[in-house]
Structure formats: C-alpha cells, structure tokens
Amino acid sequence: MDAIDTFPDATTRDAIASAWGLSPRAQFNPLGNGLINRTLCVRDGGRERVLQRLNVEVFRSPDRVMRNCHAVTAHLGRERAAGRYAYSVLELLPTLGGAPALVLPDASWWRMYAYLPDTCTHDTVSEPAMAREAGRGFGAFARALDGLPADSVGEVIPAFHDPDARYAAFERARAGDRVGRATGCIAECEAAAAYAEIVAAWQRLTLPRRIVHNDCKLNNILFDAQGHAACVIDLDTVMPGSLLFDFGDLVRTLVNPVAEDSIELDRIQVRRDLFAALAAGYVEGCGSVLSAIERANLVLGARLITGVMALRFLTDHLDGDRYFRIERPQHNLERARNQLTLFAALGDAADELQALVPAEPDRARA
Ligand SMILES: Nc1ncnc2c1ncn2[C@@H]1O[C@H](COP(=O)(O)OP(=O)(O)O)[C@@H](O)[C@H]1O
Ligand SMILES: [Mg+2]
C-alpha cells in the first residue's frame, strides 16, 4: 500500500487538512481507477470524502472546470429538490474559507466531494438490466440539464468531439507521416477514409446544442448495492455539445464484448440485447426532452464517436504515439483496428439498430 504513504506528500496533506479542517489522523486512500484525475478517499474519524487532484494538463482552465461543476451540481440539486430528478447529485465541499478548490504553490488543484457510500462503478457490462440502468441514468441527466442555458457552462476542451477537426487532424498526420509509419497502415487509413462519408451526414444535421456530459462511459455512473444507477459522476467535461456523442459513447463502450485495445477482432460485434436495453433506458430517461431529430440519429452518434476514436488512435500512431499511453509498440494501431472493426459493425447494423430504438415514451408531447 505504498501509494497511501506517498501520494499526496506530507506537505500537501497538511495543506489539504488545514483547508478542509481535517484532523492530523485523516487517512488518504486511492479510490477507483479513473485515468484522468487522481482520486482519493479521505477518511477522517467516521467521515469519508472524495478528494481529487485535477489533471491540469488535460484541463487547461481548471477555474472554468470548477465553475462548470458548480453550475451543473447546483442546477441538478434544484431539479432534485423540485422532484424532477430522481438521482443523487455530486456535492462539492468548499474549503473552510469558502473556495471551491484549493490551489497549492506547485499549481496543483484539489477539490473535495461528498462520498456516496455503498456505491461502485463497473467497467464492463454483461447484463441488459445494467445497460438499461446506465442508459436511464445518463438520459435522466440529459433531461435534467435541459433547463440550464447553454451559455452558463463554458467550453473546457475546444473541439472535443468535433468529427471535422478529428478528421482533418488524421489527414494532416497521414500526409505528414512524421515517423514513417504511413506505408505500414495503408489498409487502416483507407478504412478510416470511410469516415468522411458520415462526417458529411453529420454536417447536414441541425441538432439542438445542449449541455451534455461528453464522457458517458459506464464507469462514470455510480451504482448502488441493488444494481440501480445512483449518481452520474466525472462532470469535468460537461459543456455544450451534442447528445448524440453521449449516447454514442455509451454504445461504443457497452456493446463491444472485448476491450477497446483487444486484438481479437473476430470477437468484435454489436451485442443487440445490450444495445436494445441501453437505448430503451436512454429514451426513457430523456423523456420528452429527446427531439425527433436526435432520436432518429442516435445510431449515427454511435458511429460518429466510434469513428472519432478510431481516427484519434490512428492519428496518434502516425504521429509517433504522443497522446495515448502505450504499453506495446503497435498499441495505438491495435486500438485503431479494434475501433475500425466496431465502426464497420455499427455501420452494417445501423438500420437494424435504429429500429431497436423505442419511440419516445410520451409521443403526444413530441
Ligand atoms: N462521490 C463519490 N462517491 C464515491 N465514489 C466516487 C465518488 N466520486 C468518484 N468516485 C470513485 O472515484 C473514481 C474516479 O472518479 P472520476 O470522477 O470518474 O475520475 P476520473 O476523471 O479520473 O475518471 C470513480 O470511478 C469512482 O469509483
Ligand atoms: Mg471517470
């Protein structure tokens, strides 16, 4: 349990303890397996809290991230109090001085959330019931944010899921070929070129611009002991965008039976039962907030984001592995192949999948 003793260091712990009024006996333990921030559970006496060090390499404007988190959690809290949102809401715990976060002299940013006891996250799903719960939870989240004006939450990462920008970056990397890998992945680059087609379909759409989660993965929703979705977490990327990417990322991460870097390409498939359960839950959670154009393009959203991920992995491979952490030499190319295979499977099944998306529960109000 080395990490407990070394992170955060003693000076940082003292600063955190005095900022939040913790006793010298407070214990810091790693929590969860998130890849972006560093998350710890702080146990002090009988009380537990969630401490996070923000990743300021990824989030270049941490003050804006904190303002967004505050705006979103405050809004969700009001929705819950009014009986319009049935899920728990992350509760930001300000410092004793009333600041939303603690900024230390080494420029690190720390914030505290109330700990939700008896909850857990899942990295994979095998049961339709869990897919449905995740869909309903994230759908209800989108519905609850419908009343929050799009300009009350700022953009924290520009062009985050922008298909055009991602495609342009891929083309630049292929043409630049800075590490001489382009001839070794011609087939993958040709397959990725098929993405241009759906980018064009995307450009033709006029979709509502909403405040969305932007990192809708299964492990960003807490489940309770009964297996019910309890609380949407990881709110740092909440910003204006399209709901299609939220639903799409859920599909991308739930329906594939293998991990996104698996080389077992022949095992990749779209598990229809999980897709149907996820879509049913999402439509139910969104309720009347889901517009007809969004509903009709939910599967396009899944194809768009899966293609975006394929492009990003392939771009990074062509660029010499500068962004995604790799554990083996061809890792990014393997990830790209995996996501291209899923992208193709989603394309083949698109009509069939879209037919599995239920009609809005309350059609009279659509
Ligand atoms: N309020 C909370 N109560 C209980 N556990 C939490 C809470 N917030 C986060 N966690 C745990 O910490 C993990 C990482 O948190 P998350 O905000 O998703 O960070 P990251 O950006 O690194 O993914 C989660 O997967 C979950 O296990
Ligand atoms: Mg997370």
Side-chain angles (χ1 to χ4, degrees):
M1 300 298 274
D2 240 12
I4 296 172
D5 296 322
T6 55
F7 184 84
D9 61 39
T11 318
T12 304
R13 279 187 211 197
D14 289 349
I16 289 165
S18 72
W20 275 280
L22 307 175
S23 80
R25 288 174 308 282
Q27 290 181 327
F28 296 71
N29 298 302
L31 180 65
N33 51 1
L35 293 177
I36 303 299
N37 300 311
R38 288 290 293 263
T39 307
L40 300 139
C41 178
V42 179
R43 232 172 241 118
D44 188 26
R47 189 168 170 196
E48 289 169 316
R49 300 175 175 100
V50 176
L51 172 70
Q52 284 187 318
R53 186 186 68 182
L54 272 173
N55 184 330
V56 292
E57 295 293 315
V58 171
F59 301 107
R60 297 302 176 116
S61 309
D63 51 339
R64 186 174 299 165
V65 169
M66 292 311 301
R67 274 202 305 277
N68 285 358
C69 284
H70 184 264
V72 169
T73 53
H75 178 79
L76 291 176
R78 287 191 295 272
E79 292 297 295
R80 183 176 160 89
R84 290 190 292 264
Y85 186 59
Y87 294 85
S88 297
V89 178
L90 273 185
E91 186 194 351
L92 267 173
L93 303 175
T95 65
L96 293 181
L102 173 69
V103 189
L104 292 182
D106 65 358
S108 59
W109 281 65
W110 300 83
R111 66 156 174 234
M112 201 78 89
Y113 280 122
Y115 180 81
L116 279 152
D118 305 318
T119 57
C120 64
T121 51
H122 299 281
D123 289 315
T124 52
V125 58
S126 50
E127 288 301 314
M130 191 188 286
R132 191 176 181 123
E133 279 294 318
R136 191 165 32 206
F138 277 113
F141 180 84
R143 179 193 178 109
L145 290 186
D146 188 52
L148 188 59
D151 58 6
S152 56
V153 170
E155 193 169 61
V156 284
I157 304 177
F160 189 47
H161 285 320
D162 185 342
D164 290 315
R166 298 295 186 190
Y167 194 74
F170 158 68
E171 285 191 312
R172 274 197 306 276
R174 190 183 186 187
D177 194 19
R178 57 182 294 275
V179 288
R181 289 179 172 173
T183 50
C185 57
I186 291 171
E188 290 80 7
C189 289
E190 295 300 316
Y195 192 62
E197 208 180 288
I198 66 161
V199 173
W202 154 258
Q203 282 165 335
R204 285 193 294 273
L205 295 175
T206 308
L207 292 160
R209 192 165 163 77
R210 310 175 172 280
I211 294 172
V212 290
H213 189 282
N214 280 313
D215 195 13
C216 267
K217 298 186 179 72
L218 180 65
N219 65 13
N220 279 334
I221 190 162
L222 296 174
F223 281 81
D224 67 17
Q226 286 73 45
H228 294 125
C231 182
V232 171
I233 59 168
D234 213 343
L235 306 177
D236 299 331
T237 51
V238 175
M239 59 181 157
S242 166
L243 187 146
L244 263 55
F245 295 110
D246 274 7
F247 178 76
D249 222 5
L250 279 167
V251 175
R252 184 182 77 82
T253 53
L254 287 189
V255 302
N256 189 352
V258 300
E260 71 181 6
D261 63 351
S262 169
I263 57 169
E264 292 181 278
L265 302 185
D266 53 351
R267 285 189 57 206
I268 294 177
Q269 53 156 312
V270 181
R271 290 182 290 180
R272 307 293 202 269
D273 56 339
L274 296 182
F275 177 88
L278 175 65
Y282 197 75
V283 169
E284 186 187 338
C286 286
S288 57
V289 153
L290 187 69
S291 67
I293 182 124
E294 287 168 319
R295 183 191 166 282
N297 286 286
L298 286 177
V299 175
L300 178 66
R303 297 171 70 197
L304 280 166
I305 189 110
T306 306
V308 159
M309 291 314 298
L311 284 177
R312 290 179 63 191
F313 292 137
L314 197 51
T315 303
D316 204 33
H317 175 71
L318 290 164
D319 273 344
D321 308 312
R322 295 197 292 186
Y323 184 85
F324 295 107
R325 193 171 54 225
I326 56 161
E327 282 152 22
R328 39 187 191 266
Q330 303 270 296
H331 206 165
N332 274 319
L333 184 58
E334 289 167 5
R335 289 170 173 141
R337 285 184 183 134
N338 177 305
Q339 294 293 289
L340 283 167
T341 307
L342 182 63
F343 176 69
L346 286 166
D348 291 345
D351 292 343
E352 190 194 329
L353 295 175
Q354 191 59 48
L356 290 172
V357 177
E360 283 185 54
D362 187 359
R363 299 197 86 182
R365 291 170 56 202

